[in-house]
Amino acid sequence: MKAKFQCALCEFSSGWETIKRATKDEKLRIKAVIELFRFLADEFSDEAVPAWIGSKKDRLIREITGNPDPYMEVKAKDNERALKLLPLVRTAVNSKPEGYERFREACKVAVIGNAADPDILGHEYDVSSVISLLSHEDFAIDHIKNAYYLVQGKKVMIIADNAGEIAFDIILVEQLKKMGCKVVVAVKAKPILNDATIEDAFVVGMNEVADKLITTGSDVIGLFLNAVSGEFLAELELCDVIIAKGMGCYESITEQEIEKPVLILFKAKCDPVAEDVGVRRGDNVAVLIS
Amino acid sequence: MKAKFQCALCEFSSGWETIKRATKDEKLRIKAVIELFRFLADEFSDEAVPAWIGSKKDRLIREITGNPDPYMEVKAKDNERALKLLPLVRTAVNSKPEGYERFREACKVAVIGNAADPDILGHEYDVSSVISLLSHEDFAIDHIKNAYYLVQGKKVMIIADNAGEIAFDIILVEQLKKMGCKVVVAVKAKPILNDATIEDAFVVGMNEVADKLITTGSDVIGLFLNAVSGEFLAELELCDVIIAKGMGCYESITEQEIEKPVLILFKAKCDPVAEDVGVRRGDNVAVLIS
């Protein structure tokens, strides 16, 4: 997906929020925001992919402000909240009939967990509402039945998105394993926004559930094959199906040829992504690209 | 007043909104927003005055989009709404005892009218609530008594701010004239944002009330002596007291030596201005600089 006019406002305002989180030094904030203007003047266009701009932008802000992880507190809080809810969520999912329905419910949990995203303009979230959302929300695009038959007994790679959300992904890993799958979970190699890193995976206990825990080898949002490590590519080569989480994955995967079936699970948190995939803002999406 | 870090977000988002109003052409919007990023990279700093950046920014957007007046509809609507309310507002003001109290009420009307400002981040307005605001709101900084004694029988220049608002300023002009003042009203020479121009002054009937109606000779927000016409400067030289409306006047006048007493009337619609003058956001200010 290419950037739209509307993305300019979101790219800038989320960058501004990151600067605000990264430092309290007014002079440094001003310096960083001027560099942010210059970066966006050079990089923003309707040929650019938002997740790519966002990744480079966030890197620039971390460098200028000298704060390697502006979302550290947000991530810790979201992990903690999600962990507290996990037993309740697991019970809710396990109350569904085993098989397709339970897998679908686990996918729903994984998407509702994707709501946890600060600093997206006009998008508010509350991780604690996940239980009520589970019974009230459904998918606007639902390719889960196809995905269900596709993953049976296969090697699956989950590309994780945010901290907090990664706790809910445990439920999905558990279901996949019951279906005879081998599950590799990939997180970011370094902090970027509130995306889950190895630390977050350990905090929520993903390391104990996944068959393998790896990193993308990079701090880039979504999945850009030109930005990941050789080790990650080797793992990708070995897997049969990819389950990719979040809008960054949607934005990036729709611009590349990925030679594996990919189920992209996300909540459409902004108008440009919602319009691109053909749903309304706030809708839940499970779109299979194969 | 110099720009703060927070102003960067407001400068960009208000520019983005202006582009959105100015053209529906997505390609042109993208081109304009990239130029906006570059302009702010070059011009934004903690040495710049927000009203000056805003003026140059708005001029740039009008040039690139080819729309000479993106706020034409907003201004027409605000003038119409304000005009409908004018008889009620006049009755409310005239119910106050003649003299200082009535003058103060007219100043309050002029400040409440200043709430009419679209595209200021986090600030919402409803011109039609002016009557209820009149009885509920007061001044956080109130130098009106000093101003009242200062203006008696003098030549007063009112530097108008927004369309819509200028209708409410008629009440202030009426009171000043009852106090024996000669009143010159200055509006912008060309459209900029929703600022009142000669057209707006005529639509609301200011031309029939003011002793003289002039323009600043420029499209610049607030009062910058280096940006106005020789005719305007000659009028300024002849007047005894200035009544300047709006945050743009506050931002610009506090950065210059104006050799006349100035009563600045405005609603503090953003945190940086509110903090600079020492009030809370949303507060009404009547500050006399002499």
Side-chain angles (χ1 to χ4, degrees), chain B residues 119-244:
Chain B
D119 301 346
I120 292 188
L121 212 65
H123 169 73
E124 306 221 338
Y125 78 98
D126 180 7
V127 170
S128 63
S129 61
V130 66
I131 298 289
S132 76
L133 291 175
L134 205 51
S135 54
H136 291 99
E137 295 208 5
D138 211 333
F139 289 98
I141 296 178
D142 181 358
H143 295 168
I144 294 172
K145 193 159 262 178
N146 285 352
Y148 175 72
Y149 291 111
L150 205 61
V151 295
Q152 298 292 335
K154 296 285 171 61
K155 185 158 190 180
V156 178
M157 178 186 278
I158 296 180
I159 300 174
D161 187 4
N162 304 322
E165 176 181 350
I166 196 175
F168 297 120
D169 293 340
I170 287 174
I171 308 281
L172 181 58
V173 177
E174 288 170 353
Q175 292 308 313
L176 286 166
K177 290 184 74 175
K178 278 187 193 158
M179 290 154 63
C181 302
K182 286 281 172 196
V183 186
V184 180
V185 174
V187 294
K188 304 296 180 296
K190 290 184 212 165
I192 179 155
L193 297 170
N194 65 327
D195 281 31
T197 61
I198 285 286
E199 286 71 23
D200 301 301
F202 270 78
V203 164
V204 301
M206 180 59 95
N207 55 313
E208 292 168 17
V209 188
D211 291 295
K212 197 166 187 179
L213 184 62
I214 62 168
T215 81
T216 59
S218 147
D219 62 355
V220 170
I221 300 163
L223 175 64
F224 290 92
L225 295 179
N226 61 343
V228 293
S229 65
E231 286 108 313
F232 174 85
L233 283 177
E235 284 291 342
L236 198 71
E237 191 56 44
L238 292 172
C239 81
D240 305 300
V241 182
I242 302 167
I243 299 180

Side-chain angles (χ1 to χ4, degrees), chain A residues 117-190:
Chain A
D117 229 347
D119 301 346
I120 293 189
L121 211 65
H123 169 73
E124 305 221 341
Y125 78 100
D126 179 8
V127 170
S128 62
S129 60
V130 66
I131 298 289
S132 77
L133 291 176
L134 204 50
S135 55
H136 291 101
E137 295 209 6
D138 211 334
F139 289 98
I141 296 177
D142 181 358
H143 296 168
I144 294 172
K145 194 158 260 177
N146 285 352
Y148 175 71
Y149 292 111
L150 204 62
V151 295
Q152 297 292 333
K154 296 285 173 59
K155 185 157 188 180
V156 178
M157 179 186 280
I158 295 180
I159 300 173
D161 189 5
N162 302 323
E165 175 180 350
I166 195 173
F168 297 121
D169 294 340
I170 287 175
I171 308 281
L172 181 59
V173 177
E174 287 169 354
Q175 292 308 313
L176 287 165
K177 290 184 74 174
K178 278 186 193 156
M179 291 153 63
C181 301
K182 288 279 173 201
V183 187
V184 181
V185 174
V187 293
K188 304 296 180 295
K190 289 182 212 165

Side-chain angles (χ1 to χ4, degrees), chain A residues 3-6 8-9 12-13 16 19-20 26-27 29-30 33-34 37-38 40-42 44-46, chain B residues 4-6 8-9 12-13 16 19-20 26-27 29-30 33-34 37-38 40-42 44-46:
Chain A
K4 310 288 188 298
F5 168 65
Q6 202 177 329
L9 183 57
F12 178 74
S13 65
W16 185 89
I19 294 169
K20 197 177 164 191
E26 175 81 5
K27 282 271 174 199
R29 281 178 169 181
I30 297 262
V33 86
I34 292 168
F37 281 134
R38 198 165 311 282
L40 289 169
D42 293 339
F44 189 82
S45 85
D46 53 3
Chain B
K4 310 288 188 299
F5 168 66
Q6 200 177 331
L9 183 58
F12 179 75
S13 65
W16 186 90
I19 294 169
K20 196 176 166 195
E26 176 79 7
K27 281 271 174 203
R29 281 178 169 180
I30 297 263
V33 85
I34 292 167
F37 281 135
R38 196 163 314 280
L40 289 169
D42 293 339
F44 188 82
S45 85
D46 53 3

Side-chain angles (χ1 to χ4, degrees), chain B residues 226-284:
Chain B
N226 61 343
V228 293
S229 65
E231 286 108 313
F232 174 85
L233 283 177
E235 284 291 342
L236 198 71
E237 191 56 44
L238 292 172
C239 81
D240 305 300
V241 182
I242 302 167
I243 299 180
K245 304 275 321 276
M247 297 204 302
C249 279
Y250 175 79
E251 293 167 16
S252 52
I253 289 169
T254 49
E255 291 294 326
Q256 294 163 97
E257 291 291 330
I258 312 283
E259 290 170 354
K260 310 266 177 180
V262 191
L263 176 69
I264 315 179
L265 296 175
F266 63 101
K267 187 174 265 291
K269 285 170 273 192
C270 70
D271 289 328
V273 166
E275 281 165 25
D276 197 80
V277 71
V279 301
R280 286 182 303 183
R281 186 183 182 143
D283 278 351
N284 300 318

Side-chain angles (χ1 to χ4, degrees), chain A residues 11 30 32 118 122 164 204 221 246 275:
Chain A
E11 288 290 356
I30 297 262
V204 301
I221 299 164
E275 281 165 24

